[in-house]
Amino acid sequence: MGTTASAKNGTWRNWGGNVSARPARQVAPASVEELAAAVRRAAEDGLKVKAVGTGHSFTSIAATDGVLIRPHLLTGIRGVDRDAMTVTVEAGTPLKRLNAALAREGLSLTNMGDIMEQTVSGATSTGTHGTGRESASIAAQIKGLELVTADGSVLTCSEKENPEVFAAARIGLGALGVVTAITFAVEPLFLLTAREEPMPFDRVLAEFDQLWAENEHFEFYWFPHTGNTNTKRNNRSAGPEQPVGRLAGWFEDEFLSNGVFQVAQWVGRAAPATIPSIARISSRALSARTYTDIPYKVYTSPRRVRFVEMEYAVPRAALADTLRELKAMVDRSGLRVSFPVEVRTAPADDITLSTASGRDSAYIAVHMYRGTPHHAYFTAAERIFTAHEGRPHWGKLHTRDAEYFAGVYPRFGEFTALRDRLDPERLFQNDYLRRVLGA
């Protein structure tokens, strides 16, 4: 994912290529003061404001025809507090830079998602997560936030300072203000041993509770049109480090996972009838392997094949039923699905609009290769997810609206009331927020 969102001829496009916008102007502030001034000026000019990171959201959550704030000059670490075990970073810092800088300091985040191209504020504001039995999303590791609100003032919040803002703004959807800095909890650098191995679909579901309970981080990929999955368990290790060898790593992570997979997507798009055969071969291509390394080298992996994605969080107890329904739907539908379905978990957290807010959750992510018709598949999958009171990832495709969210988020009204207080004129509004939060 070397390239981020592009802005050619004044048009902004997201990474997935499915969202574009033509802002009236683009601003790249080099300080919090410059950002606050840009917000005040936009309000005077009657223009809406949106901040955008690397465009890894598949929804139009960052799109605007007003002022687009690009945070690439607001990067870097402000400070490490070894007594409190926290790090404070500027909002535009890419996760990969944060991870590498922390590792140099002998520190790490506890958990992270599987992609690290995003900015820290973009990733947290949309609820980006990895998988974990006890450790939750990236936003759940936030200890403090600084944001510029609609009147151009700078607000800081934490559990002690403005706690009601802190409860919501950790996953704020860009609706409460522009995040300018984030303070994360960190811990001493540790080692993870990853064990990847194929496992039959029926066995994974039958033993899911046990696999979840026995591993700190468990996830798996199911290959549609097959009864095969690839499982991954990450657990803390005393070492020694045994990274994936360079040649083996290139072969598995680049050649198979990106190169051959890309070719398989091209073939599948050109000749959909070949997809089930390709899926059977793909699901057996990756053999079992075990390696031990520092966290970000285990949690994250390169994703160079472009796709669009929908992901829903369902109650963890509903995972097996939901997946069986998804498999039955694909089997009888005549759909041709060339991308594996990704399954992860998260413990309940206390963030107002977190997909895991107040309930232990399992995530099911469906993908389609970019440029392939995805509507029928995503619509059928969404019908299954919503029947289980699923909550869609804020940065991934879905068709839900404020009325639906008021039903699946017990504290939804708490968030909209806070938004009324912080942004009464809806300076940070756009079409997406109008749909998901109401006017």
Side-chain angles (χ1 to χ4, degrees):
M1 288 208 171
T3 53
T4 56
S6 59
K8 294 193 183 84
N9 323 321
T11 301
W12 173 85
R13 275 193 181 77
N14 69 336
W15 179 86
N18 64 314
V19 177
S20 61
R22 285 190 73 95
R25 61 176 180 250
Q26 300 193 35
V27 185
S31 66
V32 178
E33 295 72 30
E34 282 182 22
L35 197 155
V39 167
R40 284 193 294 268
R41 190 177 149 214
E44 286 162 15
D45 295 346
L47 293 171
K48 303 291 187 194
V49 177
K50 291 272 50 138
V52 65
T54 53
H56 274 266
S57 288
F58 300 96
T59 59
S60 52
I61 190 165
T64 185
D65 56 6
V67 177
L68 192 68
I69 292 179
R70 304 181 71 96
H72 54 272
L73 300 180
L74 292 171
T75 58
I77 292 183
R78 281 193 191 176
V80 175
D81 183 336
R82 288 183 182 272
D83 294 328
M85 285 306 278
T86 59
V87 59
T88 301
V89 283
E90 304 274 344
T93 309
L95 284 166
K96 60 182 175 188
R97 271 186 60 187
L98 172 62
N99 288 335
L102 287 175
R104 285 196 297 274
E105 297 278 343
L107 301 168
S108 177
L109 295 173
T110 299
N111 200 355
M112 57 193 80
D114 61 4
I115 296 168
M116 55 176 180
E117 302 298 321
Q118 312 100 310
T119 61
V120 292
S121 57
T124 54
S125 295
T126 54
T128 297
H129 61 91
T131 192
R133 187 181 57 203
E134 286 103 16
S135 54
S137 71
I138 306 178
Q141 299 168 67
I142 293 176
K143 291 292 176 194
L145 272 181
E146 175 186 271
L147 70 161
V148 171
T149 55
D151 61 3
S153 59
V154 181
L155 181 75
T156 55
C157 60
S158 64
E159 281 172 5
K160 294 189 180 69
E161 191 180 7
N162 297 306
E164 73 297 343
V165 178
F166 184 67
R170 283 173 287 169
I171 299 180
L173 316 184
L176 305 175
V178 179
V179 175
T180 48
I182 300 175
T183 300
F184 290 103
V186 291
E187 57 175 304
L189 194 61
F190 53 95
L191 292 173
L192 285 171
T193 292
R195 186 169 146 212
E196 299 173 9
E197 66 174 320
M199 197 179 285
F201 179 83
D202 292 332
R203 187 184 150 199
V204 172
L205 292 195
E207 297 177 13
F208 177 75
D209 289 338
Q210 185 186 345
L211 288 162
W212 171 83
E214 287 175 355
N215 294 284
E216 291 171 66
H217 310 273
F218 177 69
E219 65 185 300
F220 66 94
Y221 292 87
W222 163 57
F223 294 80
H225 313 296
T226 78
N228 307 327
T229 76
N230 208 34
T231 63
K232 184 176 181 184
R233 309 159 213 214
N234 299 331
N235 289 289
R236 294 196 182 214
S237 161
E241 269 185 57
Q242 289 180 308
V244 178
R246 282 184 73 169
L247 186 60
W250 174 84
F251 182 72
E252 302 245 317
D253 298 325
E254 286 297 341
F255 182 69
L256 290 178
S257 298
N258 284 302
V260 172
F261 190 54
Q262 174 76 68
V263 174
Q265 297 302 318
W266 288 334
V267 172
R269 185 166 70 179
T274 63
I275 285 174
S277 307
I278 293 172
R280 284 190 290 275
I281 297 164
S282 299
S283 68
R284 295 198 180 98
L286 293 167
S287 50
R289 64 175 182 172
T290 301
Y291 51 95
T292 301
D293 213 329
I294 60 173
Y296 81 85
K297 294 186 177 177
V298 174
Y299 288 133
T300 69
S301 49
R303 292 269 187 276
R304 304 194 206 289
V305 180
R306 303 260 171 158
F307 54 83
V308 289
E309 179 179 1
M310 168 184 282
E311 180 181 56
Y312 267 76
V314 298
R316 202 180 70 233
L319 173 70
D321 286 347
T322 309
L323 265 180
R324 283 192 188 102
E325 290 165 30
L326 186 68
K327 185 175 190 298
M329 179 275 289
V330 171
D331 288 346
R332 66 167 185 264
S333 66
L335 288 167
R336 293 289 175 257
V337 180
S338 60
F339 244 88
V341 172
E342 184 179 25
V343 181
R344 296 175 288 176
T345 69
D349 65 39
D350 63 350
I351 303 171
T352 318
L353 291 188
S354 164
T355 44
S357 185
R359 74 181 189 195
D360 293 339
S361 301
Y363 293 92
I364 304 172
V366 296
H367 311 69
M368 274 294 220
Y369 181 47
R370 186 166 87 172
T372 311
H374 64 265
H375 188 76
Y377 175 40
F378 283 15
T379 300
E382 190 172 39
R383 204 171 290 135
I384 293 166
F385 300 150
T386 54
H388 292 280
E389 298 197 337
R391 298 168 176 170
H393 187 302
W394 296 108
K396 296 174 187 178
L397 296 177
H398 67 88
T399 65
R400 302 296 90 193
D401 60 15
E403 186 183 3
Y404 178 84
F405 291 124
V408 295
Y409 283 102
R411 297 164 64 193
F412 188 74
E414 200 182 300
F415 189 97
T416 54
L418 180 65
R419 181 188 184 216
D420 288 341
R421 196 186 98 202
L422 291 180
D423 186 14
E425 303 292 315
R426 299 290 186 263
L427 182 68
F428 302 114
Q429 174 92 285
N430 65 2
D431 290 343
Y432 180 78
L433 291 184
R434 194 175 289 113
R435 169 163 71 94
V436 301
L437 296 177

